[in-house]
Amino acid sequence: MPQGGSSGRGGPADLPPAHSTIICVALPGLAISTAQGQLTGQGLEGFYRAGRRVLSRCQVRVAGREPLPVQARATAADRARFVAVVRVSPGPSPDPDVVVERSRHADGTERITLRSAAPRPLRLPVEVALGSDLADLGAIASGRAGPELSASVHDSGLRWSGASGGASVTADPPPSDALASAGLLRWEFELPPGGTAGLELRVRLDGAAPVRAAGRASTSPLASARATGDHPALQPLLHTSIDDLRSLLLRDPAHPTDTHLAAGVPWRCGLAPADALAAARMALPLGTGLAAGTLRTLARTQRRGKTGTLEALSGMIPGPRRDAGAHLPPGCTGTEATLLFPVLLAEAFRWGLSRQETEDLLPTAERCLGWMRATVGEGTYLHDPQPGGPARCETQAHAHRAAVLGADLLDAFDRPGATALRQWARDLRTAFRREFWIEDRGGGRPAAARAPDGRLLPYLGATAVHLLDTGLLGGGELAPGLLDSVHTEQLARLLGGPAMDSGWGLRGLGAREAGYNPFGHRTGAVRVHETAVAVAGLAAAGYEKEAGSLLRGLLAASETFGHRLPEMFAGEQRSEGSAPLPHPAACRPAATAAAAGVLLLSALAGVRPDAPAGTVTLRPMRSVPLGEIGLTGLRIAGAPFSVRVSRLGLAMVEEAAEGLQLGS
């Protein structure tokens, strides 16, 4: 699927709504359901494997009746529980006497349990109607799924075959009757008073091994960190964030020890380089394993060579275009990924990636930096997607951070090129402060972009938060930024104002800007990733009031979403008794939104490691916007790390690697 959630056949409006579904994820497996529990084949409902709908319909009838749904909820990232009731006993009482519980798992299994509350023994006929269209997700998204396929009786269930392969459902215990023409399996259970009976269905795609989710293996690269504290959302937010990140992990088929994150479910179940790098960077407090796997996977995609049409692209990590809203042409996520690669490598080294692993990846980072300098050429700004396009504000922030952190990394390994990178970064800072700031009576603002003719685009959007994300250097120091202190203060004021802070998080575009749309992907919706970056950047710059407001708003939003934050939601203003409005095309879970939960909590504690130097510096938010907080089971230098911040804003290390010293 294209970036941004579009089906490619008429835009996001054509997509079946995902906001009202319950999505179980253990990639490459998915199970998508409505709160009704029955899979009817409508919309996105069904079991999926590697982007193909293996089973589209699974409808249960008990004693000839469809059970009445009473509860549906996700119990983990990869499973959900549906409870329904049915009344089978004669008499005038309205009370149901049979409970039907369905436990649905993303690995393709469903357990159906019947519990009797009747005062007498029951003989319960049970029917399960099954269907499959073997449609791929892209066809479903664009309304081209096609009809159900004809079934045949197979083993202890049914089987379907199509041009793209086949699928089957097997049942345990085997049904007493199977009708292929109706796609129907039948059982008859004897239940004593208070008794239970059950059956299990197993959905399989031909030729596919059982789902073994990378995030559930003992080798998962993400630590099982925990949060405690005064605010009730701390623990469930971190738990759900880690659970969702694990559910989105994928292995590189050619290098199964390397894992990376899929961008999000249901629309972006594959590798999106910029999202994978950004999420791995935010998840560094959970260990460097994900960063290493992501970097190695993307290093293998880097473009090489200096001949033909690839000359200008050599060293780039490719990525698709992404919608940038009404004011700018689509941006190149390959540019963002190429600039993020050396940043993630440099910061992973600070968090504890081994010297050997870092050195192995350093040539790829050097080629990324070489591409950046070659693309800039004799100019100052990095234009995106190619020369002749605009110089975007956030692209300059990404490029400046890559240059400064890249130079730091090159020096650490005695590699040449650091001096030239730092000089260009200084030149960029000087030019940006002079040429990218728009003065006005309100104190001014950074331009969203600079056109090739020098004209500035004056609107204020959430992409400006990347100016605050300068990156981590050695000794717990943050890299210099493109803004000076006066302009940083003004940007903090703007981000904390009502035009940008919706009360639930940061709008993608200011509410008073032309083209504002609270549901717009880049023109007003709250994007969780950028809100988290804003919180971390504002806190690091000392603007804790603005950071705390955004943080509390996003945590309040997370509670209404069951602590599973979507990639975005509507930027409507928060009011008394209101709740954030879901975006019907948003991925949930999404890699950057799940990793944002990790960034938010680590920003509260202000953890800044320098594993090569054997130190960790703590810069907690002194205003303690959520009260006391404790984080246990983080990873620094490959060992568990735990920290507690008191209600007075004082941080104390409770567990750390042997020899790790507290920096000043």
Side-chain angles (χ1 to χ4, degrees):
M1 298 294 294
Q3 298 283 317
S6 171
S7 68
R9 286 221 167 196
D14 295 334
L15 296 174
H19 69 284
S20 57
T21 61
I22 297 173
I23 302 180
C24 306
V25 192
L27 293 180
L30 291 176
I32 304 179
S33 324
T34 69
Q36 301 302 305
Q38 302 275 40
L39 299 180
T40 66
Q42 302 299 308
L44 292 168
E45 294 176 44
F47 282 93
Y48 292 78
R49 178 69 186 270
R52 186 165 299 279
R53 184 157 65 181
V54 185
L55 188 71
S56 54
R57 191 162 53 88
C58 182
Q59 296 170 288
V60 175
R61 290 175 66 85
V62 177
R65 302 176 184 179
E66 185 165 325
L68 177 70
V70 294
Q71 187 185 77
R73 65 184 184 92
T75 56
D78 58 354
R79 67 200 71 183
R81 177 177 179 262
F82 304 88
V83 180
V85 294
V86 62
R87 184 169 65 88
V88 298
S89 299
S93 172
D95 299 336
D97 48 14
V98 174
V99 176
V100 182
E101 181 177 327
R102 302 171 73 168
S103 179
R104 186 166 295 153
H105 198 290
D107 67 3
T109 60
E110 176 156 340
R111 179 74 183 173
I112 302 170
T113 303
L114 309 172
R115 297 199 309 270
S116 172
R120 60 180 181 81
L122 296 178
R123 176 173 290 177
L124 290 180
V126 175
E127 295 180 341
V128 179
L130 303 169
S132 176
D133 54 17
L134 289 175
D136 66 63
L137 187 57
I140 295 167
S142 57
R144 298 179 288 109
E148 283 188 0
L149 301 169
S150 298
S152 61
V153 176
H154 171 74
D155 196 10
S156 58
L158 298 175
R159 188 177 187 282
W160 300 266
S161 296
S164 59
S168 63
V169 172
T170 56
D172 182 23
S176 57
D177 195 13
L179 300 177
S181 59
L184 201 63
L185 303 181
R186 290 175 172 161
W187 294 260
E188 193 165 274
F189 295 105
E190 302 278 351
L191 269 69
T196 63
L199 62 98
E200 185 173 87
L201 304 175
R202 292 182 292 276
V203 184
R204 293 289 181 265
L205 182 67
D206 284 3
V211 172
R212 293 186 177 89
R216 305 295 166 188
S218 59
T219 55
S220 169
L222 298 168
S224 299
R226 290 180 56 82
T228 58
D230 292 336
H231 197 289
L234 291 172
Q235 190 277 330
L237 176 63
L238 185 58
H239 173 80
T240 304
S241 295
I242 296 172
D243 202 26
D244 283 345
L245 288 171
R246 287 174 170 169
S247 75
L248 292 170
L249 281 172
L250 290 172
R251 298 186 189 278
D252 185 331
H255 303 269
T257 59
D258 289 342
T259 55
H260 61 270
L261 290 165
V265 173
W267 309 120
R268 303 166 67 206
C269 293
L271 174 62
D275 290 59
L277 288 163
R281 184 178 173 222
M282 290 188 285
L284 280 171
L286 303 179
T288 60
L290 174 61
T294 303
L295 290 165
R296 285 193 292 263
T297 298
L298 290 176
R300 293 187 281 269
T301 72
Q302 189 177 44
R303 287 174 171 161
R304 307 286 186 91
K306 296 184 178 180
T307 59
T309 59
L310 290 180
E311 182 174 0
L313 301 177
S314 181
M316 188 182 198
I317 294 172
R321 298 288 179 91
R322 178 168 59 202
D323 176 57
H327 299 283
L328 283 166
C332 178
T333 63
T335 297
E336 186 177 340
T338 307
L339 300 175
L340 272 171
F341 190 101
V343 169
L344 177 57
L345 182 60
E347 292 190 329
F349 183 55
R350 294 294 170 200
W351 279 89
L353 187 65
S354 74
R355 190 171 183 86
Q356 184 60 59
E357 286 180 290
T358 306
E359 194 163 19
D360 290 345
L361 288 160
L362 195 51
T364 305
E366 289 177 300
R367 287 189 289 270
C368 290
L369 295 168
W371 170 85
M372 178 183 73
R373 294 295 294 120
T375 305
V376 170
E378 297 300 316
T380 303
Y381 300 116
L382 180 60
H383 291 262
D384 177 35
Q386 294 298 331
R392 303 168 198 259
C393 171
E394 69 273 20
T395 301
Q396 311 320 305
H398 294 322
H400 181 266
R401 184 178 59 225
V404 177
L405 269 64
D408 191 56
L409 188 63
L410 294 176
D411 276 349
F413 287 84
D414 296 321
R415 303 287 270 262
T419 300
L421 284 170
R422 289 195 181 96
Q423 182 58 54
W424 176 71
R426 283 191 292 270
D427 294 343
L428 179 59
R429 282 199 296 276
T430 300
F432 190 92
R433 293 172 183 181
R434 183 179 64 246
E435 299 174 349
F436 247 89
W437 191 263
I438 301 171
E439 296 290 353
D440 59 33
R441 287 181 295 178
R445 60 175 61 188
R450 183 181 175 87
D453 62 3
R455 181 173 44 89
L456 297 178
L457 277 69
Y459 71 87
L460 180 66
T463 52
V465 304
H466 296 289
L467 294 169
L468 301 172
D469 178 15
T470 60
L472 180 66
L473 296 175
E477 293 297 318
L478 297 180
L482 284 176
L483 298 180
D484 60 24
S485 58
V486 173
H487 289 165
T488 299
E489 181 178 3
Q490 172 64 2
L491 178 58
R493 189 183 69 81
L494 291 171
L495 295 177
M500 291 299 295
D501 184 352
S502 71
W504 301 113
L506 196 69
R507 293 185 176 94
L509 183 67
R512 292 192 288 268
E513 303 291 341
Y516 167 72
N517 172 5
F519 282 93
H521 271 62
R522 304 282 167 179
T523 55
V526 172
R527 300 192 69 85
V528 171
H529 171 207
E530 285 168 341
T531 301
V533 170
V535 170
L538 287 166
Y543 298 98
E544 294 193 3
K545 177 183 176 182
E546 293 81 0
S549 175
L550 289 171
L551 172 63
R552 287 188 294 269
L554 197 55
L555 256 68
S558 80
E559 292 181 276
T560 70
F561 287 111
H563 306 286
R564 173 184 270 187
L565 283 163
E567 63 173 328
M568 61 181 170
F569 51 88
E572 293 279 5
Q573 186 63 41
R574 184 178 181 178
S575 60
E576 184 69 29
S578 69
L581 299 177
H583 193 297
C587 287
R588 180 171 174 259
T592 53
V598 181
L599 176 61
L600 288 170
L601 300 188
S602 60
L604 271 173
V607 183
R608 303 181 188 177
D610 187 354
T615 64
V616 60
T617 302
L618 300 176
R619 293 285 186 270
M621 292 178 67
R622 299 293 184 183
S623 58
V624 287
L626 304 182
E628 182 175 304
I629 177 175
L631 299 173
T632 61
L634 303 180
R635 308 285 293 187
I636 295 179
F641 180 83
S642 301
V643 61
R644 182 167 301 278
V645 180
S646 74
R647 296 182 185 93
L648 299 176
L650 302 176
M652 180 176 66
V653 174
E654 296 185 332
E655 183 181 23
E658 185 177 354
L660 190 67
Q661 300 294 314
L662 190 62
S664 58

